[in-house]
Amino acid sequence: MTVPLYQAKAELFRALGHPARIRVLELLQSGPLPVRDLLSAIDIEASSLSQQLAVLRRAGIVTATREGATVVYALSTVDVADLMFAARRILTELLAGQGELLAELRAEAHSG
């Protein structure tokens, strides 16, 4: 039985729904990184980072390769970086709209 596309999309976004996971994806946009580098860049416990990386790996969003004793993570596809960029653009537009609304409210408060 196949999953409807909308449900698959919801599961993808659910896998993205944690700040540490988003931070990992932002860091990996510049290229693959070993776990130790991710850990030093993200202020969470190693066990928590491991859990978050496992969620991303199970969802197919990142890949993990072993280089000796080191595990290196990378984005599974450039489309993930594109998604992060699209999210930034959307947030920029939303915040700009909120800024315009705030300016209108302030102007109204001063004129009323």
Side-chain angles (χ1 to χ4, degrees):
M1 186 166 132
T2 60
V3 174
L5 181 58
Y6 63 85
Q7 186 175 341
K9 287 179 182 178
E11 289 171 13
L12 170 68
F13 282 108
R14 205 171 6 263
L16 297 173
H18 190 283
R21 290 181 222 144
I22 296 297
R23 185 66 184 127
V24 165
L25 298 178
E26 289 174 344
L27 292 167
L28 293 178
Q29 287 180 65
S30 58
L33 290 171
V35 172
R36 69 177 171 271
D37 290 0
L38 292 170
L39 193 55
S40 68
I42 303 171
D43 188 28
I44 60 173
E45 296 292 323
S47 60
S48 180
L49 178 60
S50 179
Q51 290 172 343
Q52 303 310 327
L53 288 168
V55 170
L56 292 172
R57 212 174 41 249
R58 277 192 305 272
I61 298 169
V62 299
T63 60
T65 55
R66 185 169 289 280
E67 296 178 5
T70 303
V71 178
V72 177
Y73 282 86
L75 298 178
S76 61
T77 172
V78 70
D79 292 334
V80 176
D82 293 343
L83 181 60
M84 293 295 99
F85 183 73
R88 178 173 290 174
R89 274 196 334 262
I90 292 166
L91 285 171
T92 299
E93 290 174 19
L94 291 173
L95 292 173
Q98 289 177 0
E100 291 168 11
L101 178 60
L102 182 58
E104 286 178 33
L105 289 171
R106 286 184 174 151
E108 191 176 284
H110 291 298
S111 67

Short mmCIF file of all heavy atoms in Angstrom, two decimals, residues 13-42:
data_model
loop_
_atom_site.label_atom_id
_atom_site.label_comp_id
_atom_site.label_asym_id
_atom_site.label_seq_id
_atom_site.Cartn_x
_atom_site.Cartn_y
_atom_site.Cartn_z
N PHE A 13 8.20 16.98 6.49
CA PHE A 13 8.24 18.20 7.30
C PHE A 13 8.29 17.87 8.79
O PHE A 13 8.92 18.60 9.56
CB PHE A 13 7.06 19.11 6.97
CG PHE A 13 7.28 19.87 5.68
CD1 PHE A 13 6.57 19.55 4.54
CD2 PHE A 13 8.21 20.89 5.60
CE1 PHE A 13 6.79 20.23 3.35
CE2 PHE A 13 8.44 21.57 4.43
CZ PHE A 13 7.72 21.24 3.29
N ARG A 14 7.69 16.77 9.20
CA ARG A 14 7.77 16.36 10.60
C ARG A 14 9.23 16.03 10.96
O ARG A 14 9.71 16.37 12.03
CB ARG A 14 6.86 15.15 10.84
CG ARG A 14 6.41 15.01 12.26
CD ARG A 14 5.35 13.96 12.53
NE ARG A 14 4.91 13.07 11.46
CZ ARG A 14 3.83 13.25 10.70
NH1 ARG A 14 3.06 14.31 10.88
NH2 ARG A 14 3.51 12.39 9.77
N ALA A 15 9.94 15.39 10.02
CA ALA A 15 11.35 15.06 10.24
C ALA A 15 12.20 16.33 10.35
O ALA A 15 13.24 16.33 11.00
CB ALA A 15 11.87 14.17 9.13
N LEU A 16 11.74 17.41 9.73
CA LEU A 16 12.47 18.68 9.79
C LEU A 16 12.09 19.51 11.02
O LEU A 16 12.72 20.52 11.30
CB LEU A 16 12.17 19.51 8.53
CG LEU A 16 12.60 18.91 7.21
CD1 LEU A 16 12.09 19.76 6.06
CD2 LEU A 16 14.10 18.76 7.15
N GLY A 17 11.09 19.06 11.77
CA GLY A 17 10.47 19.87 12.81
C GLY A 17 11.18 19.93 14.14
O GLY A 17 10.53 19.83 15.19
N HIS A 18 12.48 20.12 14.15
CA HIS A 18 13.22 20.31 15.40
C HIS A 18 14.36 21.28 15.13
O HIS A 18 15.06 21.14 14.12
CB HIS A 18 13.76 18.97 15.90
CG HIS A 18 14.33 19.03 17.27
ND1 HIS A 18 15.56 19.57 17.55
CD2 HIS A 18 13.80 18.63 18.45
CE1 HIS A 18 15.78 19.48 18.85
NE2 HIS A 18 14.73 18.91 19.42
N PRO A 19 14.56 22.26 16.01
CA PRO A 19 15.61 23.26 15.77
C PRO A 19 17.00 22.66 15.56
O PRO A 19 17.76 23.14 14.70
CB PRO A 19 15.58 24.14 17.02
CG PRO A 19 14.21 23.96 17.58
CD PRO A 19 13.79 22.56 17.22
N ALA A 20 17.34 21.61 16.29
CA ALA A 20 18.67 21.01 16.12
C ALA A 20 18.80 20.37 14.74
O ALA A 20 19.87 20.45 14.12
CB ALA A 20 18.92 19.96 17.22
N ARG A 21 17.73 19.79 14.24
CA ARG A 21 17.78 19.18 12.91
C ARG A 21 17.95 20.24 11.83
O ARG A 21 18.72 20.07 10.89
CB ARG A 21 16.52 18.35 12.64
CG ARG A 21 16.47 17.11 13.49
CD ARG A 21 15.22 16.29 13.18
NE ARG A 21 14.68 15.83 14.45
CZ ARG A 21 13.41 15.71 14.75
NH1 ARG A 21 12.48 16.00 13.87
NH2 ARG A 21 13.05 15.29 15.93
N ILE A 22 17.24 21.34 11.99
CA ILE A 22 17.39 22.45 11.03
C ILE A 22 18.81 22.98 11.08
O ILE A 22 19.43 23.25 10.03
CB ILE A 22 16.36 23.58 11.33
CG1 ILE A 22 14.93 23.07 11.12
CG2 ILE A 22 16.65 24.82 10.48
CD1 ILE A 22 14.61 22.65 9.70
N ARG A 23 19.37 23.12 12.27
CA ARG A 23 20.75 23.63 12.40
C ARG A 23 21.73 22.68 11.72
O ARG A 23 22.66 23.12 11.04
CB ARG A 23 21.10 23.82 13.87
CG ARG A 23 22.43 24.45 14.10
CD ARG A 23 22.45 25.90 13.58
NE ARG A 23 23.78 26.45 13.72
CZ ARG A 23 24.47 27.01 12.74
NH1 ARG A 23 23.93 27.17 11.55
NH2 ARG A 23 25.67 27.46 12.94
N VAL A 24 21.53 21.38 11.89
CA VAL A 24 22.39 20.40 11.22
C VAL A 24 22.33 20.61 9.71
O VAL A 24 23.36 20.66 9.03
CB VAL A 24 21.97 18.96 11.58
CG1 VAL A 24 22.58 17.94 10.61
CG2 VAL A 24 22.35 18.63 13.01
N LEU A 25 21.13 20.76 9.18
CA LEU A 25 20.97 20.94 7.73
C LEU A 25 21.62 22.23 7.25
O LEU A 25 22.24 22.27 6.18
CB LEU A 25 19.49 20.89 7.35
CG LEU A 25 18.79 19.57 7.66
CD1 LEU A 25 17.32 19.65 7.28
CD2 LEU A 25 19.48 18.40 6.98
N GLU A 26 21.50 23.28 8.06
CA GLU A 26 22.17 24.54 7.69
C GLU A 26 23.69 24.35 7.64
O GLU A 26 24.34 24.82 6.70
CB GLU A 26 21.83 25.64 8.71
CG GLU A 26 20.41 26.12 8.64
CD GLU A 26 20.06 27.10 9.75
OE1 GLU A 26 20.79 27.19 10.77
OE2 GLU A 26 19.02 27.76 9.62
N LEU A 27 24.23 23.65 8.62
CA LEU A 27 25.67 23.43 8.66
C LEU A 27 26.14 22.57 7.49
O LEU A 27 27.22 22.80 6.94
CB LEU A 27 26.07 22.80 10.00
CG LEU A 27 25.92 23.70 11.22
CD1 LEU A 27 26.02 22.88 12.50
CD2 LEU A 27 26.94 24.82 11.20
N LEU A 28 25.34 21.59 7.13
CA LEU A 28 25.73 20.66 6.06
C LEU A 28 25.60 21.27 4.66
O LEU A 28 26.07 20.70 3.69
CB LEU A 28 24.92 19.37 6.14
CG LEU A 28 25.19 18.51 7.37
CD1 LEU A 28 24.29 17.28 7.37
CD2 LEU A 28 26.66 18.12 7.48
N GLN A 29 24.97 22.44 4.57
CA GLN A 29 24.85 23.10 3.26
C GLN A 29 26.21 23.43 2.67
O GLN A 29 26.37 23.46 1.45
CB GLN A 29 24.01 24.38 3.36
CG GLN A 29 22.54 24.09 3.56
CD GLN A 29 21.73 25.37 3.66
OE1 GLN A 29 21.65 26.12 2.70
NE2 GLN A 29 21.13 25.60 4.80
N SER A 30 27.21 23.66 3.52
CA SER A 30 28.53 24.00 3.02
C SER A 30 29.38 22.76 2.73
O SER A 30 30.51 22.87 2.29
CB SER A 30 29.26 24.92 4.01
OG SER A 30 29.36 24.28 5.27
N GLY A 31 28.82 21.57 2.99
CA GLY A 31 29.53 20.33 2.67
C GLY A 31 29.47 19.35 3.83
O GLY A 31 29.04 19.69 4.93
N PRO A 32 29.92 18.12 3.59
CA PRO A 32 29.89 17.08 4.62
C PRO A 32 30.71 17.48 5.85
O PRO A 32 31.74 18.17 5.72
CB PRO A 32 30.53 15.87 3.92
CG PRO A 32 30.38 16.14 2.47
CD PRO A 32 30.45 17.63 2.32
N LEU A 33 30.25 17.03 7.01
CA LEU A 33 30.94 17.32 8.27
C LEU A 33 30.95 16.10 9.16
O LEU A 33 29.96 15.37 9.24
CB LEU A 33 30.25 18.46 9.03
CG LEU A 33 30.34 19.86 8.45
CD1 LEU A 33 29.43 20.82 9.20
CD2 LEU A 33 31.78 20.36 8.50
N PRO A 34 32.06 15.91 9.90
CA PRO A 34 32.07 14.84 10.89
C PRO A 34 31.21 15.21 12.09
O PRO A 34 30.97 16.39 12.36
CB PRO A 34 33.55 14.72 11.28
CG PRO A 34 34.17 16.01 10.89
CD PRO A 34 33.34 16.59 9.78
N VAL A 35 30.77 14.19 12.81
CA VAL A 35 29.91 14.41 13.97
C VAL A 35 30.55 15.39 14.95
O VAL A 35 29.88 16.26 15.50
CB VAL A 35 29.57 13.07 14.67
CG1 VAL A 35 28.84 13.31 15.98
CG2 VAL A 35 28.75 12.21 13.76
N ARG A 36 31.85 15.27 15.19
CA ARG A 36 32.52 16.15 16.17
C ARG A 36 32.37 17.62 15.79
O ARG A 36 32.21 18.48 16.66
CB ARG A 36 33.98 15.75 16.36
CG ARG A 36 34.85 16.03 15.16
CD ARG A 36 36.34 15.69 15.43
NE ARG A 36 37.07 15.78 14.19
CZ ARG A 36 37.22 14.78 13.33
NH1 ARG A 36 36.71 13.60 13.59
NH2 ARG A 36 37.90 14.97 12.21
N ASP A 37 32.41 17.94 14.49
CA ASP A 37 32.24 19.33 14.06
C ASP A 37 30.80 19.79 14.26
O ASP A 37 30.55 20.93 14.65
CB ASP A 37 32.65 19.50 12.59
CG ASP A 37 34.15 19.37 12.38
OD1 ASP A 37 34.88 19.15 13.38
OD2 ASP A 37 34.59 19.47 11.22
N LEU A 38 29.85 18.90 13.98
CA LEU A 38 28.44 19.24 14.22
C LEU A 38 28.21 19.49 15.70
O LEU A 38 27.55 20.45 16.08
CB LEU A 38 27.53 18.12 13.72
CG LEU A 38 27.49 17.90 12.20
CD1 LEU A 38 26.74 16.62 11.87
CD2 LEU A 38 26.85 19.11 11.52
N LEU A 39 28.79 18.64 16.52
CA LEU A 39 28.62 18.75 17.97
C LEU A 39 29.21 20.06 18.49
O LEU A 39 28.60 20.71 19.34
CB LEU A 39 29.27 17.55 18.66
CG LEU A 39 28.93 17.34 20.12
CD1 LEU A 39 27.42 17.25 20.34
CD2 LEU A 39 29.61 16.08 20.63
N SER A 40 30.35 20.46 17.97
CA SER A 40 30.96 21.71 18.45
C SER A 40 30.19 22.94 17.98
O SER A 40 30.25 23.99 18.61
CB SER A 40 32.42 21.80 18.01
OG SER A 40 32.52 21.96 16.62
N ALA A 41 29.43 22.81 16.88
CA ALA A 41 28.68 23.95 16.35
C ALA A 41 27.27 24.06 16.92
O ALA A 41 26.64 25.11 16.81
CB ALA A 41 28.60 23.86 14.83
N ILE A 42 26.78 22.96 17.50
CA ILE A 42 25.42 22.94 18.03
C ILE A 42 25.50 22.68 19.53
O ILE A 42 26.13 21.73 19.96
CB ILE A 42 24.57 21.83 17.35
CG1 ILE A 42 24.57 22.04 15.84
CG2 ILE A 42 23.15 21.85 17.89
CD1 ILE A 42 23.94 20.89 15.08
#
